[in-house]
Amino acid sequence: MIIDHFCTFPHGGAGTAARRLHERLVQRGVTSRFRYWKDQAAQRLDASYRQMEWEQGKSPGWIQSKLDKRRVRRICNRYDRHLAKRPENFELFTIPWTLDQSRFEIESLATDILHLHWISFFVDYPSFFASISGRVPIVWSFHDMNPLTGGCHYSSGCSRFTVGCGSCPQINHPGPRDVSHWAFRDKQRALRDKHIHVVTPNRWLSELAQHSRMFPSQTQYHLIRLGLEEDQFRPIDQTHARNQLGLPPDAALIAFGAEDIENYRKGFHHLLSVLKQINGRRPIECLVFGSGELPKQRQQLPKFHEFGFVDSIQQQALLYSAADVFVLPSREDNQPQTGLEAMACGTPVVAFRAGGIPEYVLHGQTGLLAPVGDEDEMAAQINQLLDNNELRNNLSVASRKLIEQEFTAEKQARSYIELYRQIAGSLDLAQLAPARVGSQAA
């Protein structure tokens, strides 16, 4: 069985999750290939990774040129009217069209199952899905809400995706026939005859997907948790971790990390307000990792230890283990891996009750939760955790145990292999990929 993963980047939150699955599948003997658009981090990737190059159109040159110019002009007009110069605190909004079309020959790809991940900027929906026969099974792992909306990656409470979008609150000049409406319509048309298995890592996102009008009636929905390499993300002696990182041995260390700490949705601004209310028995200090800059004005704030963007698992495990508590103040989120990684390292998490977070930060069992945006309650939870060694130790043990039971890379890979086999068992794979010569069974 041959599995082809499509993901815009092999790094970042979604890219890392997709890459972890792909690499564990390869370890299990599955013929798994990873196709991506760009590798901005310039990572060293093995031969199972390949940068995707789309085929050019087959129409006569002058016809293709005229069609392409008209299409590009329409895309640019919609972008300029609705998306250019949006407010900075708006969440990412991406459209389903790219300036270059995404045609390819499914037979030449010689695949059995297409496995999609985060494909914004990478895939032009109309041409990409037109290349795929309705008989070809698609597994689609959702990393945010974009596949089920007209463009937003998190809806900020808006439910217009249940009626086809339009009048979008996250764009300029919203209206019934705005860019979110046209994007939703074109995505829906592209998917209408496809054989899709939607996979989400939690019930929260699965329920949203099933309430969207985006997917054809034959779509099936599955829940498979994200997986970590628990032997790499593991508890490290706190004293040793702090010595390795040059951190103070006696301070109460509060940790925060994100791919981009300036992303409004990740809630770092909430943490800054919360930190002003922390009054522990020990000196309070804060360690932060991720791209982006900390605010220059830090009155009434504790000392910060800045580590920038960290892509080494060994360094990440040291950072999590050095902290007394990891704070996850996201206003909206799917299943942020920073929280899972902290728990794997035995570091209790304090978070807002947002998105899929409460499905692994179990209040009073593996962490503590506060209502979204309630900075006073989050501060009280952190103070309680810092002042109660027994509570902190109990949450630490339970956090690690939950990761070992539910969130390992091996368990995730087994669940996907079982899904692939179920799909293969219901289809004639020889008809789906006739050009395939010899495949390796999962």
Side-chain angles (χ1 to χ4, degrees):
M1 183 185 303
I2 299 176
I3 313 298
D4 275 291
H5 300 266
F6 283 74
C7 193
T8 304
F9 308 113
H11 58 272
T16 297
R19 198 177 69 246
R20 285 171 174 167
L21 170 62
H22 159 67
E23 292 176 357
R24 179 51 65 107
L25 291 173
V26 171
Q27 291 175 18
R28 290 291 305 269
V30 177
T31 303
S32 179
R33 303 181 297 203
F34 195 109
R35 299 175 185 275
Y36 62 92
W37 178 49
K38 286 185 178 179
D39 181 18
Q40 295 172 326
Q43 300 181 29
R44 294 182 179 179
L45 302 173
D46 64 33
S48 66
Y49 293 85
R50 182 172 299 176
Q51 190 168 2
M52 194 69 185
E53 295 182 1
W54 304 118
E55 295 183 358
Q56 300 300 313
K58 296 181 178 179
S59 302
W62 68 271
I63 297 177
Q64 189 64 44
S65 177
K66 187 174 182 179
L67 292 174
D68 285 348
K69 286 180 180 179
R70 183 183 304 168
R71 177 177 171 277
V72 168
R73 185 165 60 249
R74 183 171 62 248
I75 294 171
C76 292
N77 287 342
R78 288 173 178 170
Y79 179 86
D80 290 343
R81 174 169 173 75
H82 295 292
L83 300 175
K85 300 181 180 179
R86 291 190 310 146
E88 291 184 359
N89 62 344
F90 274 19
E91 180 54 26
L92 179 65
F93 189 108
T94 58
I95 53 179
W97 316 287
T98 60
L99 298 183
D100 294 319
Q101 298 193 48
S102 308
R103 298 185 184 92
F104 70 100
E105 293 292 338
I106 189 67
E107 289 82 7
S108 65
L109 193 62
T111 190
D112 293 320
I113 295 175
L114 290 180
H115 192 146
L116 307 182
H117 295 272
W118 201 89
I119 56 174
S120 296
F121 308 116
F122 181 21
V123 161
D124 174 74
Y125 270 64
S127 56
F128 177 80
F129 286 102
S131 301
I132 304 169
S133 165
R135 298 174 299 166
V136 175
I138 299 171
V139 173
W140 197 342
S141 295
F142 287 6
H143 299 272
D144 56 26
M145 292 178 63
N146 183 258
L148 58 99
T149 75
C152 67
H153 287 249
Y154 287 92
S155 68
S156 299
C158 173
S159 60
R160 293 197 60 78
F161 59 86
T162 63
V163 295
C165 288
S167 300
C168 177
Q170 295 196 39
I171 64 173
N172 300 324
H173 311 296
R177 297 170 71 82
D178 60 25
V179 67
S180 72
H181 162 78
W182 291 112
F184 193 102
R185 187 204 64 169
D186 281 7
K187 290 167 77 170
Q188 188 180 49
R189 286 180 174 178
L191 301 175
R192 61 187 170 191
D193 65 341
K194 303 310 174 190
H195 184 79
I196 300 173
H197 290 260
V198 167
V199 180
T200 62
N202 51 55
R203 293 183 295 276
W204 169 77
L205 190 55
S206 180
E207 290 173 0
L208 294 177
Q210 293 179 63
H211 281 95
S212 174
R213 295 181 60 185
M214 182 67 71
F215 306 102
S217 59
Q218 66 268 25
T219 300
Q220 298 184 40
Y221 299 86
H222 313 267
L223 191 154
I224 299 178
R225 305 289 188 188
L226 294 181
L228 300 177
E229 299 289 351
E230 77 281 4
D231 57 336
Q232 298 182 50
F233 287 102
R234 68 189 193 283
I236 300 172
D237 177 75
Q238 188 177 84
T239 300
H240 172 74
R242 292 188 179 191
N243 286 338
Q244 290 291 307
L245 297 169
L247 295 170
D250 300 324
L253 283 179
I254 298 171
F256 172 87
E259 183 179 359
D260 180 4
I261 64 175
E262 297 183 68
N263 184 328
Y264 180 82
R265 179 176 56 82
K266 290 295 185 179
F268 186 61
H269 60 288
H270 288 301
L271 177 60
L272 294 177
S273 298
V274 165
L275 289 172
K276 296 176 182 178
Q277 304 180 53
I278 305 302
N279 300 299
R281 292 191 293 264
R282 294 178 291 161
I284 305 297
E285 299 188 13
C286 189
L287 66 88
V288 178
F289 59 92
S291 60
E293 295 184 4
L294 295 176
K296 294 181 172 57
Q297 301 299 324
R298 303 184 193 175
Q299 290 85 353
Q300 300 180 316
L301 291 174
K303 181 178 179 180
F304 281 84
H305 301 274
E306 302 176 51
F307 289 87
F309 183 79
V310 179
D311 60 359
S312 161
I313 292 179
Q314 293 77 13
Q315 183 84 346
Q316 290 170 350
L318 286 171
L319 288 166
Y320 291 124
S321 298
D324 293 292
V325 57
F326 184 83
V327 181
L328 194 56
S330 295
R331 299 181 58 81
E332 283 186 286
D333 231 324
N334 177 23
Q335 194 168 84
Q337 294 173 93
T338 51
L340 292 172
E341 292 162 359
M343 290 169 56
C345 295
T347 303
V349 174
V350 176
F352 284 144
R353 195 182 297 272
I357 293 173
E359 296 184 38
Y360 70 90
V361 181
L362 309 177
H363 185 67
Q365 300 177 49
T366 62
L368 298 175
L369 294 168
V372 176
D374 191 336
E375 296 171 353
D376 293 341
E377 181 62 21
M378 175 168 276
Q381 302 283 23
I382 295 173
N383 279 323
Q384 177 187 9
L385 202 54
L386 293 179
D387 291 341
N388 189 329
N389 291 336
E390 182 179 1
L391 174 63
R392 194 164 65 250
N393 290 335
N394 289 341
L395 296 181
S396 173
V397 172
S399 294
R400 174 67 186 181
K401 185 175 181 180
L402 180 66
I403 297 300
E404 292 175 338
Q405 292 175 341
E406 300 293 335
F407 293 94
T408 67
E410 180 60 24
K411 181 169 184 177
Q412 182 193 32
R414 286 201 308 268
S415 297
Y416 272 108
I417 290 171
E418 179 60 27
L419 175 59
Y420 299 149
R421 285 174 171 164
Q422 289 176 8
I423 296 170
S426 65
L427 299 169
D428 182 357
L429 292 182
Q431 294 181 5
L432 298 178
R436 176 169 53 84
V437 286
S439 66
Q440 184 172 351

